[in-house]
Amino acid sequence: MKVFSISTSIIALVTLAQSTLAATTAAPCDPNTCKLPSCLCPSLTPPNGMNPKDVPQFVTITFDDSVQADLLATAKDLLTVKNPNGCAAKGTWYVSMLYTNFALVQQWYANGNEVADHTFTHVGTPSGQEIAAARAMLNQYGGVPLGKIKGFRAPFLNYTTDTLKEIAKQGFQYDTSSTGVLDDCFWPYTLDNGLANDCWNNVCGSDLKLPGVWEIPMYAVNDNAGTAQLMDVYLAGTPSDVTAWSETNFERHYNGNRSPFGIYVHPTHLTNYVGLADMSSQKAALINFIQSLASKPDVWFVTNEQLLQWMQNPVPASQLASQPYMQCNLPNIGKEICNGLETINIGNNIVSGNLLNNCNFNTANWGTCFNCPATEPTLDNPTPNNAVPDTDPKFRHAVPNNCDSLWWDPIAGQCLCSNTNCAYNDTSIPFTSAVVNSTTVASTGTIAKPTTVESDAIRVIPTALFGLSLSFGIAAAVMAL
């Protein structure tokens, strides 16, 4: 059960029922038949019977909603710590399309962070079209390979059986919308036997069985009144109180079963805007808390994608630094290309660069390394025809399925990867199921013909969900609780 409360005069903050209300009614899971890397039963203990003292303490810092210049700066401020191997902390961004600047999406991805799906219009009960449209735009204009968009978070955390079935059909690797409090703070697990924690809208009691699809619970912080806080915990009390709650809850993970610890952020709530409350003290307190975690032995800041790579093949903390997915090498190309690592200028929340195209519409304006659409994207047509024909010298080439965008020169239409160390084959997403009512990216990286919408009927949930829409000049952020 989820309970909503107001933390400040302008912020709607979700809180969660106490752990005594948590239910675990998924079908029984047999660990003798459900085995890694493709299956894992829900468990409060580390995978493969590992001793918690030998397990890395993972910390995931995630961000929700649109990617804008000011919000990206806030996110980067939270990720200034380093992991024990010297690599910078990485984060996961669950991106909705409204007000998103796709040049910044590509920059976020190119620097080793994760980009994930948060729907096109941020609706509470998203259709398959909503989910597929967002992924199509992240690929078409943000240059993120389809197979690298592995995760999904439901807007307002309002997941349903239909939504979870839909992401499975579209080939996503994981969902992270459910909540872990105390007795259901499970390690990530697969949905072969259904959902085991949170049980929002009786999903646990449903016939939901999605083999190979992972659920990464969002781990709540209990405040001093016993109320479980989840998103934007820093809004629920004074900076000193929130720090004390967070430290107590982190120690429960760190000195207990070492299940992952999450910090879940809407960057707009930590970004200062003229005429609104100064959030500098809340932001500083959170940064100090993150830095304090980085000083502890065996603490690693990872994306949810990295977390699942470890879950599928767990290794002791002493071996984590040598794992390929924990490295931080950037491509050595020898020249500047438009791949997210090029020089980008940001001023007054405006993004520009010599290699970028600027796409300007009434309510949507963004930079991209790729072609601008001829018309403004919509839910029915998220990737319209290109503004320039493929015979135009200014035409940009879409990322193909055999080259990561880090190595792809969209102007020359050339993959600069020349050895097996950087080879890539995008087979993670079944293209036939990622269908929207417009053009979709085919396996060749070209634009396929329009296709029929594939979507299930999504029933209306009679719940007291609400959000708060804030408009800050050109920045508008929808709160996705």
Side-chain angles (χ1 to χ4, degrees):
M1 178 182 294
K2 292 183 173 69
V3 179
F4 291 81
S5 64
I6 300 296
S7 295
T8 71
S9 60
I10 64 168
I11 298 299
L13 178 68
V14 85
T15 63
L16 308 166
Q18 297 186 35
S19 62
T20 54
L21 296 179
T24 55
T25 58
C29 182
D30 184 357
N32 294 315
T33 58
C34 181
K35 295 183 178 182
L36 292 172
S38 60
C39 186
L40 186 65
C41 294
S43 176
L44 295 173
T45 58
N48 286 357
M50 296 180 69
N51 188 323
K53 292 186 295 184
D54 298 327
V55 173
Q57 176 60 66
F58 294 111
V59 177
T60 57
I61 304 177
T62 72
F63 307 92
D64 281 22
D65 300 343
S66 61
V67 181
Q68 304 173 38
D70 290 349
L71 306 182
L72 181 62
T74 295
K76 288 180 177 180
D77 288 343
L78 303 186
L79 295 173
T80 55
V81 295
K82 293 185 180 296
N83 281 319
N85 65 348
C87 291
K90 305 301 179 185
T92 302
W93 205 307
Y94 297 90
V95 186
S96 53
M97 299 301 99
L98 187 64
Y99 304 110
T100 281
N101 192 307
F102 292 96
L104 301 182
V105 170
Q106 188 165 6
Q107 183 187 79
W108 175 258
Y109 169 76
N111 281 280
N113 300 290
E114 181 184 5
V115 174
D117 194 311
H118 200 44
T119 75
F120 183 88
T121 58
H122 199 282
V123 294
T125 54
S127 64
Q129 185 182 17
E130 277 278 349
I131 298 167
R135 187 177 61 188
M137 289 188 70
L138 292 171
N139 170 258
Q140 183 85 351
Y141 307 118
V144 184
L146 287 169
K148 295 295 185 76
I149 307 172
K150 299 180 178 182
F152 175 79
R153 176 171 287 163
F156 309 104
L157 309 184
N158 184 32
Y159 61 88
T160 66
T161 298
D162 289 334
T163 304
L164 293 173
K165 287 181 178 179
E166 184 62 41
I167 68 166
K169 185 170 69 174
Q170 293 194 25
F172 285 87
Q173 183 186 22
Y174 74 88
D175 169 74
T176 178
S177 307
S178 69
T179 305
V181 187
L182 291 175
D183 62 351
D184 63 352
C185 264
F186 299 121
W187 281 79
Y189 59 94
T190 60
L191 296 175
D192 292 61
N193 295 279
L195 193 70
N197 63 298
D198 196 7
C199 299
W200 174 240
N201 199 43
N202 296 317
V203 173
C204 285
S206 73
D207 60 354
L208 181 73
K209 296 183 189 301
L210 304 173
V213 177
W214 288 79
E215 181 64 29
I216 304 177
M218 298 175 67
Y219 301 98
V221 168
N222 277 33
D223 63 20
N224 55 2
T227 302
Q229 306 286 342
L230 191 60
M231 295 292 302
D232 308 308
V233 175
Y234 40 82
L235 299 177
T238 66
S240 59
D241 284 344
V242 172
T243 298
W245 308 336
S246 300
E247 289 174 345
T248 298
N249 282 264
F250 175 81
E251 292 298 328
R252 175 168 51 82
H253 289 250
Y254 187 64
N255 296 319
N257 66 0
R258 290 218 169 167
S259 58
F261 182 82
I263 298 173
Y264 312 114
V265 178
H266 290 98
T268 188
H269 298 160
L270 291 176
T271 304
N272 286 334
Y273 297 97
V274 175
L276 296 180
D278 189 335
M279 302 302 294
S280 299
S281 59
Q282 288 85 349
K283 178 180 173 182
L286 181 56
I287 291 173
N288 289 337
F289 173 63
I290 292 170
Q291 291 174 341
S292 73
L293 301 187
S295 68
K296 299 179 183 293
D298 297 331
V299 171
W300 292 78
F301 296 86
V302 296
T303 66
N304 276 329
E305 180 185 10
Q306 289 174 310
L307 173 61
L308 289 188
Q309 288 175 294
W310 184 89
M311 292 296 304
Q312 292 175 312
N313 182 27
V315 297
S318 59
Q319 299 177 23
L320 186 58
S322 63
Q323 301 304 303
Y325 54 84
M326 292 306 302
Q327 306 307 305
C328 51
N329 301 320
L330 292 176
N332 184 12
I333 294 174
K335 66 175 183 177
E336 186 178 47
I337 62 173
C338 204
N339 66 347
L341 300 176
E342 75 280 0
T343 300
I344 291 179
N345 303 309
I346 300 176
N348 297 321
N349 214 36
I350 303 298
V351 178
S352 62
N354 292 334
L355 297 179
L356 292 177
N357 276 330
N358 291 305
C359 311
N360 299 305
F361 304 99
N362 290 332
T363 59
N365 302 282
W366 71 77
T368 179
C369 285
F370 303 94
N371 295 304
C372 290
T375 58
E376 182 175 353
T378 64
L379 176 60
D380 288 336
N381 191 9
T383 55
N385 291 332
N386 296 320
V388 296
D390 57 9
T391 55
D392 192 302
K394 296 181 180 180
F395 180 81
R396 303 290 179 96
H397 300 267
V399 177
N401 74 327
N402 61 352
C403 187
D404 194 313
S405 55
L406 281 171
W407 299 90
W408 179 249
D409 183 347
I411 297 175
Q414 180 183 9
C415 186
L416 300 178
C417 167
S418 59
N419 58 62
T420 57
N421 292 332
C422 59
Y424 179 70
N425 187 22
D426 197 348
T427 60
S428 300
I429 299 294
F431 294 95
T432 54
S433 65
V435 181
V436 292
N437 189 20
S438 70
T439 55
T440 58
V441 178
S443 59
T444 59
T446 58
I447 302 300
K449 295 179 180 179
T451 53
T452 305
V453 176
E454 268 188 20
S455 62
D456 292 335
I458 306 298
R459 52 190 168 78
V460 177
I461 308 291
T463 57
L465 296 172
F466 60 92
L468 182 64
S469 179
L470 303 176
S471 179
F472 310 116
I474 67 169
V478 180
M479 182 175 184
L481 298 179

